[in-house]
Amino acid sequence: MNALRYLDFGASRDLLLLIARIAIVLLFILFGYPKMLHFDGTVQYMAASGAPMPSLAAIIAIVMEVPAVILVILGFFTRPLAVLFIFYTLGTAVIGHHFWSMTGDAVMPNMINFYKNVSISGAFLLLPIVGPGKISLDRR
């Protein structure tokens, strides 16, 4: 028998889902807000990192990392946004952390960030399955 199968989080389930939503997107808001405040620098960073269409890439990054994150925290359109975040996070892993084409000191931190993004995508994959919980605008 699988003992974990019988765990019942009861009333705390919805609070834990809220905490999980916040934890999943915390990194995005911490790095997205400065991107929004310093748009020109963000475009320059995108260009330097080899992102296609750096201005558009910067706009997409800001939209995903600020307003979309706020919507996930609020639990509004959680399931479709989580699916978008899966693709966004995997895309940023491939475009921004292509450790396989790097050498020297750049390899290890980019490998770590690549697999961090893969892990975050896995967390986003759970949201469409379990939903946002009752502490969300989707449940109102």
Side-chain angles (χ1 to χ4, degrees):
M1 273 199 234
N2 183 351
L4 292 177
R5 187 169 88 184
Y6 297 103
L7 285 178
D8 180 16
F9 292 104
S12 64
R13 180 182 188 274
D14 296 307
L15 179 60
L16 291 172
L17 284 169
L18 172 62
I19 292 168
R21 288 196 325 263
I22 293 168
I24 292 168
V25 298
L26 182 62
L27 186 69
F28 292 98
I29 196 78
L30 289 175
F31 289 98
Y33 188 69
K35 285 176 186 160
M36 184 178 69
L37 293 180
H38 308 287
F39 183 76
D40 291 338
T42 301
V43 172
Q44 291 173 5
Y45 172 77
M46 296 290 180
S49 67
M53 299 181 281
S55 294
L56 180 60
I59 291 168
I60 291 169
I62 291 166
V63 168
M64 290 300 293
E65 296 181 19
V66 180
V69 160
I70 292 168
L71 293 176
V72 169
I73 291 170
L74 294 173
F76 191 64
F77 291 115
T78 307
R79 285 181 163 102
L81 281 172
V83 172
L84 281 176
F85 267 105
I86 292 167
F87 293 110
Y88 174 73
T89 306
L90 291 175
T92 58
V94 171
I95 293 169
H97 305 294
H98 45 91
F99 66 91
W100 53 89
S101 67
M102 297 177 177
T103 58
D105 291 341
V107 174
M108 188 55 69
N110 278 283
M111 182 187 295
I112 291 167
N113 282 316
F114 178 87
Y115 286 109
K116 169 198 51 90
N117 282 23
V118 171
S119 296
I120 292 169
S121 295
F124 277 120
L125 181 60
L126 291 172
L127 279 177
I129 297 167
V130 300
K134 291 179 183 173
I135 306 173
S136 68
L137 293 176
D138 286 343
R139 294 294 175 121
R140 301 278 173 230

